[in-house]
Amino acid sequence: MTNILHRHSHVVPRVAARGEGPYVYDVDGAKYLDASGGAAVSCLGHSHPDIIRAIKDQVDVLSYAHTSFFANRPAEDLADLLIEKAPDSLGKVYFVSGGSEAVEAALKMARQYFVEIGEPQRRRVIARWQSYHGNTLGALATGGNLGRREMFLPILGDFASHISPCFEYRYRTTVESSEDYGLRVADELKAEIERLGPDTVAAFIAEPVVGATAGVVPSVPGYFKRIREICDEYGVLLILDEVMCGMGRTGTLFAFEQDGVVPDLVTCAKGLGAGYQPIGAVLLDQRFADAFYHGSGFFHHGHTYMAHATACAAALAVQRVIDRDDLLSNVRLQGDALVDALTARLGNHHHVGDIRGRGLFRGVELVADRATKQPFDPALKLHARVKREAMDRGLMCYPAGGTVDGTSGDHILLAPPFIIDRTHVDEIAEKLGDSIDAAIASAGS
Ligand code: PLP
């Protein structure tokens, strides 16, 4: 019996009792290796003593003070840390409580910027299919996850349109090089801007590494450079959504560093606070802050819990620990080890089509037929079977369906904590391999 409306009406989840390092324990004492950080959140694992201490210390002096009355020290310090590490043009931070809020704020910043500089006709946002930007209405309208959008289409508004993803495994033709493929799909942005009318387009939004919808899909070399060029040519803003792939997950603090571009706005959340407190942020180009300053004088937005002192204290501690312990080196090291271990266990598997990703952000795509890349029948819900089998083996991973086009395809997303070592990597590969085998057997394939 539960009084909570859980995510699924027919499933009441096991109750988590405590966490320690990369493991979570349920109330019955069962132990689970958190190989997905929940949903790419818990980048320091669980119960990290430094973060617990920072939260307790902050609560002892000031839990919260509304931002219309006061600034607070942890928020200022966290902003300083992020701005110091960001490219020079990103000069301000706006703190919110999660990923969807960060995306909503970024979309509204883009819109307000154009109003302030005298281009109010710019209201359109272009996004990509097979992407996810959050479940609030603005974020959902830009997201390209068909399954999540369908129910709410009539209330999503008409400001967003979509171009193809950059998804090499699925959509590069055999006669194209990776680079040629990237340029072809990037040029869809140019065509879409022209179709809509260049002076009506405010922004293009994309995940540098697509997370849960397509199963950890980085772009091909050159893709984002071409996207940046097109945005610059038309005065369109580039918003990169790093809610899932950012804050070190791919081995660099910002995922976009590996694509050689700098966005006008970047969103982050999940790994920022590592799950110790709910927090998200937008880093914005200084010219937005200047436009608001010289224009209406403020950003027309706000939330009750923005720049929450305790959330910022936790995130500050998280980012300092990542720095102090040089954990991004471990992300790169264990990320390579994870690919090796997955390849050893699954590389020749009849039903594993692709193993991909960057750093400790990896995806495994399942197929019915490796040669044709034919996905499994969606009715089998193979991804859900993998999740059940993995939980029964003490492994948390993040499988999802609709990988190919929103309807068909299955993948498993892995995003383990940055603190793992080689023994955890081997445990992930072994348990995931066994779970995939058992799931496929239970589906009768
Ligand atoms: N953007 C991306 C890329 C995400 O992966 C997510 C969540 O998974 C969001 C936005 C929404 O974040 P939240 O669930 O914190 O609202």
Side-chain angles (χ1 to χ4, degrees):
M1 172 59 190
T2 175
N3 288 319
I4 294 177
L5 180 63
H6 285 287
R7 282 181 174 254
H8 295 285
S9 302
H10 301 285
V11 183
V12 177
R14 302 168 210 212
V15 177
R18 67 188 180 90
E20 202 179 302
Y23 293 97
V24 174
Y25 297 79
D26 70 19
V27 284
D28 300 319
K31 178 181 177 183
Y32 307 85
L33 176 56
D34 188 356
S36 56
V41 173
S42 303
C43 62
L44 286 187
H46 302 271
S47 303
H48 196 295
D50 295 352
I51 317 306
I52 294 170
R53 170 57 43 215
I55 292 171
K56 285 183 173 167
D57 288 350
Q58 185 59 42
V59 172
D60 277 346
V61 293
L62 175 77
S63 313
Y64 166 75
H66 194 279
T67 45
S68 70
F69 299 90
F70 293 107
N72 67 74
R73 201 62 258 161
E76 295 291 341
D77 291 347
L78 180 60
D80 291 350
L81 181 147
L82 293 173
I83 291 301
E84 192 195 311
K85 289 174 179 297
D88 287 348
S89 55
L90 298 175
K92 287 277 185 288
V93 188
Y94 188 81
F95 290 117
V96 290
S97 300
S100 302
E101 281 189 12
V103 170
E104 296 289 334
L107 294 172
K108 288 175 82 172
M109 281 176 193
R111 166 67 189 157
Q112 187 177 330
Y113 171 71
F114 283 117
V115 174
E116 303 283 15
I117 66 167
E119 297 183 48
Q121 73 286 357
R122 287 200 192 251
R123 66 173 195 96
R124 295 195 165 275
V125 175
I126 302 172
R128 303 188 298 180
W129 294 118
Q130 289 306 95
S131 62
Y132 180 60
H133 298 300
N135 264 334
T136 51
L137 291 177
L140 195 60
T142 55
N145 182 317
L146 289 179
R148 295 197 195 226
R149 287 164 57 89
E150 197 178 3
M151 173 80 72
F152 303 101
L153 274 177
I155 58 169
L156 288 189
D158 69 345
F159 71 94
S161 61
H162 298 81
I163 61 171
S164 299
C166 183
F167 191 170
E168 183 174 23
Y169 171 70
R170 280 288 161 194
Y171 296 116
R172 177 170 67 81
T173 66
T174 47
V175 296
E176 282 174 314
S177 67
S178 294
E179 285 78 5
D180 288 347
Y181 165 66
L183 294 180
R184 171 168 66 83
V185 281
D187 279 341
E188 285 190 25
L189 176 59
K190 189 178 171 75
E192 182 63 1
I193 293 172
E194 290 286 355
R195 186 184 77 80
L196 293 169
D199 63 343
T200 69
V201 181
F204 173 66
I205 181 168
E207 295 164 83
V209 181
V210 180
T213 299
V216 195
V217 179
S219 64
V220 298
Y223 173 81
F224 272 108
K225 285 205 167 127
R226 179 69 187 130
I227 288 287
R228 181 74 266 187
E229 274 171 19
I230 295 167
C231 287
D232 290 344
E233 182 184 341
Y234 290 97
V236 168
L237 302 173
L238 177 60
I239 306 174
L240 292 181
D241 181 358
E242 297 213 353
V243 164
M244 191 176 255
C245 64
M247 292 293 105
R249 173 63 49 206
T250 63
T252 48
L253 186 65
F254 298 99
F256 63 68
E257 292 172 50
Q258 295 175 51
D259 294 298
V261 295
V262 176
D264 299 292
L265 298 141
V266 59
T267 56
C268 43
K270 299 182 185 271
L272 177 61
Y276 287 86
Q277 290 282 294
I279 184 165
V282 184
L283 275 71
L284 50 142
D285 190 292
Q286 182 61 39
R287 72 185 196 282
F288 293 85
D290 294 343
F292 302 159
Y293 181 87
H294 296 295
S296 50
F298 68 106
F299 175 40
H300 292 244
H301 192 58
H303 292 288
T304 300
Y305 294 123
M306 59 187 284
H308 191 285
T310 309
C312 290
L316 182 62
V318 168
Q319 298 310 316
R320 284 180 174 160
V321 166
I322 290 173
D323 261 2
R324 183 195 68 197
D325 298 349
D326 189 21
L327 289 179
L328 297 196
S329 296
N330 199 48
V331 171
R332 294 188 286 269
L333 186 74
Q334 301 306 336
D336 289 346
L338 183 57
V339 177
D340 291 347
L342 290 172
T343 306
R345 177 66 176 82
L346 296 167
N348 293 322
H349 196 289
H350 289 316
H351 296 297
V352 172
D354 196 22
I355 299 171
R356 56 188 175 235
R358 291 180 186 164
L360 280 177
F361 196 31
R362 299 285 166 181
V364 175
E365 184 167 338
L366 303 177
V367 287
D369 183 322
R370 264 169 84 111
T372 62
K373 302 184 184 177
Q374 170 74 29
F376 281 94
D377 178 353
L380 293 174
K381 291 202 176 309
L382 190 61
H383 54 279
R385 291 172 191 265
V386 173
K387 184 165 181 185
R388 275 197 301 275
E389 295 290 348
M391 285 296 276
D392 288 348
R393 286 169 175 74
L395 181 75
M396 290 165 63
C397 57
Y398 187 0
T403 317
V404 181
D405 52 13
T407 309
S408 61
D410 300 271
H411 67 259
I412 299 112
L413 181 151
L414 297 170
F418 301 174
I419 54 166
I420 58 166
D421 61 31
R422 186 64 212 224
T423 60
H424 303 119
V425 163
D426 292 340
E427 186 178 341
I428 293 170
E430 273 319 302
K431 287 187 170 166
L432 182 62
D434 293 352
S435 307
I436 290 172
D437 287 342
I440 290 171
S442 80
S445 294

